Amino acid sequence: MINPFLNAQKQLEEVGQIMNLASDKLEILKNPQSILEVNIPVKMDNGEVKLFKGFRSQHNNALGPYKGGIRFHPGVTKEEVMALSMWMSWKCSVAGIPFGGGKGGVIVDPKSLSEAELEQLSRGYVKAAANVIGANLDVPAPDVGTNGKVMALMQDEYSKIKCSAGTICKNNEIMASFTGKPVNSGGSLGREQATGRGGVFILEELTKKLGRENKDLKIAVQGIGNVGYWFAKLAQQAGFKIIAISDSKGGVKGELSDIEKIKEFKEETGSVLGFPNTEKISNEELLELEVDILVPAALENVITVKNADKIKTKIIMEMANGPITPEADEILNKKGILVVPDILANCGGVTVSFFEWDQNMKEEKWDEETINKKLKKIVTDSFAQIWQIAQEKKLSLRLAAYVLAIDKITSRM
Ligand code: NAD
């Protein structure tokens, strides 16, 4: 089985060598600063109490409070959460926002829980982690299997714990302790779309560098969750052609002229499969399609040594975290496939999470136009810096992004 944490460490070691990173700094960065492991009790609807294992990994806070999502998924492991927290450190650094890297997870299939059970689990996670999270300490957000509603529940529980009788609690800090909240619960406009939107801004910069026209480029997207859906929809609006999209049950291929309709179809039927006038394909087949841009936007480790050789795209936008294993990355590099690494491609999400935190802390509300403008500036500046490092040092975009990220962090350690 692939261990994402060993992969994350391997990537770091490789960059450490390129940068001549001091061994003490490398040693510190190779592991999270702390990791919390908890058992969360939930009284199930049948009256039985069931324990769910949860984690919060805090990798590095040299640049600011830890920041990272909480994942509810049956495949969550401690190693996965640790790897994701390390990638968050690099991502926040790449985006130039004042946060460090954190990540949380619970081993659970959220679809198997009733609403009442899910609420208890969400509140239980906060009860267990309340002492290590907070606006100036560690700021969680949604990830796979969690959403704005879960964040609102968590934030409410956090407020109950921190503002219990006799405790001084500052409203703005309580509000800023979670991001990705619904807009009517202190969330930011544009957060839901931010990861996909940031990815599309970066892709447009890349196509300009390559002298290509958006309308000539075909895209396949794996996953139609928050990230996949918004990426596909906004890429289509920017003129790109979406020719395949999938969910956990499989994918569809064809002229996908209305992504919103496909999402509605999935919401009604439970899957994109069977969408009118499309051909059914498996998730494996989707990854191997002859397209210009492949967008893994679901889970990690979907491109491995087993299928890297069969990948026929010219560009990969890593909208998911860690979709390519380091061994597969080497194969793709040799094949001349240009990979836009996750820590750059999907940094739009955490960037607007930072805007949400900033608005909450300052008790302000920004309009969506301002948010999208600020987002565009941040992600396109990051892309430009990474592109320049890659050209100057003759590195892949991934290694260049790591060099930029680690350099900024170590200068503050
Ligand atoms: P989500 O839960 O909204 O969507 C996940 C999607 O993946 C769903 O469409 C699901 O059907 C699909 N999926 C699940 N298993 C699959 C499989 N085996 N094969 C193909 N598809 C499968 O999650 P999300 O928020 O869209 O996150 C997706 C990825 O993006 C994750 O790697 C996450 O860490 C990363 N990410 C998310 C954000 C964010 O703002 N939500 C930000 C940065 C990175």
Side-chain angles (χ1 to χ4, degrees), residues 13 44 91 123 162 171 235 254 264 281 311 374 390 404:
E13 278 168 4
M44 306 301 281
K91 193 181 303 182
R123 290 184 182 278
K162 293 291 166 183
N171 266 339
E264 281 166 18
I281 50 169
I311 305 291
K374 281 170 174 270
L404 176 71

Side-chain angles (χ1 to χ4, degrees), residues 5 12 24-35 56-68 81-93 97-103 137-139 405-413:
F5 186 59
L12 172 61
D24 54 341
K25 293 192 172 171
L26 178 67
E27 204 49 36
I28 292 169
L29 289 175
K30 268 172 75 180
N31 287 287
Q33 288 171 327
S34 78
I35 172 142
R56 185 76 192 167
S57 171
Q58 299 177 322
H59 175 256
N60 188 278
N61 62 355
L63 297 179
Y66 305 103
K67 181 89 195 77
V81 175
M82 284 156 70
L84 289 164
S85 72
M86 191 189 286
W87 289 325
M88 280 307 293
S89 295
W90 313 150
K91 193 181 303 182
C92 293
S93 179
I97 55 174
F99 284 126
K103 200 79 181 191
L137 201 56
D138 183 351
V139 186
I406 294 165
D407 193 41
K408 284 200 224 171
I409 294 173
T410 50
S411 70
R412 295 277 289 273
M413 279 167 65

Side-chain angles (χ1 to χ4, degrees), residues 244-387:
I245 199 155
S246 66
D247 58 39
S248 56
K249 297 190 178 111
V252 288
K253 186 181 140 196
E255 288 275 319
L256 309 180
S257 56
D258 192 340
I259 302 298
E260 212 169 308
K261 284 227 167 72
I262 302 181
K263 190 184 172 221
E264 281 166 18
F265 182 85
K266 178 184 155 70
E267 277 162 5
E268 276 161 28
T269 64
S271 174
V272 296
L273 295 181
F275 186 75
N277 303 321
T278 59
E279 191 186 319
K280 178 182 168 189
I281 50 169
S282 67
N283 265 301
E284 291 71 32
E285 285 166 335
L286 181 141
L287 294 172
E288 294 164 19
L289 285 175
E290 217 159 288
V291 285
D292 300 289
I293 302 149
L294 176 64
V295 184
L299 295 174
E300 60 262 29
N301 300 330
V302 292
I303 302 178
T304 67
V305 282
K306 286 195 188 137
N307 61 355
D309 246 345
K310 299 184 206 148
I311 305 291
K312 297 179 200 75
T313 185
K314 297 173 193 78
I315 297 170
I316 298 180
M317 286 289 295
E318 285 191 317
M319 294 306 295
N321 286 313
I324 301 174
T325 62
E327 295 77 11
D329 207 30
E330 258 179 64
I331 300 173
L332 298 174
N333 266 331
K334 280 190 193 133
K335 282 168 64 109
I337 295 174
L338 187 61
V339 177
V340 181
D342 48 5
I343 59 171
L344 171 65
N346 68 31
C347 76
V350 75
T351 301
V352 177
S353 271
F354 163 59
F355 297 163
E356 180 176 339
W357 178 89
D358 206 21
Q359 290 171 80
N360 291 159
M361 291 297 261
K362 295 174 176 158
E363 298 184 350
E364 291 177 356
K365 282 239 170 261
W366 306 346
D367 61 61
E368 198 162 347
E369 204 187 322
T370 305
I371 287 164
N372 292 344
K373 228 163 121 184
K374 281 170 174 270
L375 170 66
K376 186 168 187 178
K377 166 116 185 68
I378 286 191
V379 299
T380 54
D381 281 359
S382 300
F383 172 78
Q385 284 179 63
I386 290 167
W387 183 267

Side-chain angles (χ1 to χ4, degrees), residues 11-247:
Q11 287 167 337
L12 172 61
E13 278 168 4
E14 192 183 342
V15 184
Q17 273 189 0
I18 292 171
M19 299 173 70
N20 277 327
L21 191 63
S23 58
D24 54 341
K25 293 192 172 171
L26 178 67
E27 204 49 36
I28 292 169
L29 289 175
K30 268 172 75 180
N31 287 287
Q33 288 171 327
S34 78
I35 172 142
L36 177 75
E37 183 169 338
V38 294
N39 288 309
I40 306 160
V42 172
K43 189 162 184 191
M44 306 301 281
D45 291 348
N46 65 8
E48 274 174 27
V49 170
K50 204 169 158 188
L51 291 184
F52 292 90
K53 194 165 276 304
F55 309 97
R56 185 76 192 167
S57 171
Q58 299 177 322
H59 175 256
N60 188 278
N61 62 355
L63 297 179
Y66 305 103
K67 181 89 195 77
I70 299 175
R71 179 174 291 197
F72 284 1
H73 191 273
V76 163
T77 61
K78 189 171 168 177
E79 288 71 26
E80 179 187 64
V81 175
M82 284 156 70
L84 289 164
S85 72
M86 191 189 286
W87 289 325
M88 280 307 293
S89 295
W90 313 150
K91 193 181 303 182
C92 293
S93 179
V94 154
I97 55 174
F99 284 126
K103 200 79 181 191
V106 177
I107 307 171
V108 62
D109 177 4
K111 287 188 210 138
S112 71
L113 299 184
S114 69
E115 216 164 297
E117 291 165 346
L118 184 65
E119 175 164 348
Q120 279 186 68
L121 182 66
S122 307
R123 290 184 182 278
Y125 185 89
V126 176
K127 281 186 190 125
N131 285 338
V132 300
I133 54 185
N136 292 306
L137 201 56
D138 183 351
V139 186
D143 192 67
V144 177
T146 55
N147 52 26
K149 207 170 146 194
V150 170
M151 290 308 112
L153 286 170
M154 289 187 165
Q155 203 261 336
D156 181 62
E157 186 62 33
Y158 185 75
S159 139
K160 277 187 189 155
I161 296 168
K162 293 291 166 183
C163 302
S164 56
T167 324
I168 301 167
C169 70
K170 293 185 187 155
N171 266 339
N172 62 336
E173 289 186 10
I174 293 291
M175 198 51 104
S177 53
F178 289 83
T179 63
K181 304 180 292 290
V183 176
N184 59 9
S185 304
S188 175
L189 291 170
R191 173 60 187 90
E192 192 194 322
Q193 301 86 342
T195 309
R197 177 167 277 134
V200 174
F201 285 150
I202 290 168
L203 180 59
E204 288 193 274
E205 290 302 297
L206 179 64
T207 52
K208 271 189 236 157
K209 290 271 184 218
L210 301 176
R212 301 294 307 271
E213 298 263 347
N214 300 356
K215 67 176 174 44
D216 299 333
L217 301 172
K218 287 189 200 143
I219 303 186
V221 182
Q222 185 187 46
I224 188 172
N226 171 285
V227 177
Y229 168 67
W230 283 108
F231 183 92
K233 188 176 156 76
L234 296 168
Q236 194 165 56
Q237 277 174 12
F240 294 96
K241 288 197 173 66
I242 309 295
I243 63 134
I245 199 155
S246 66
D247 58 39

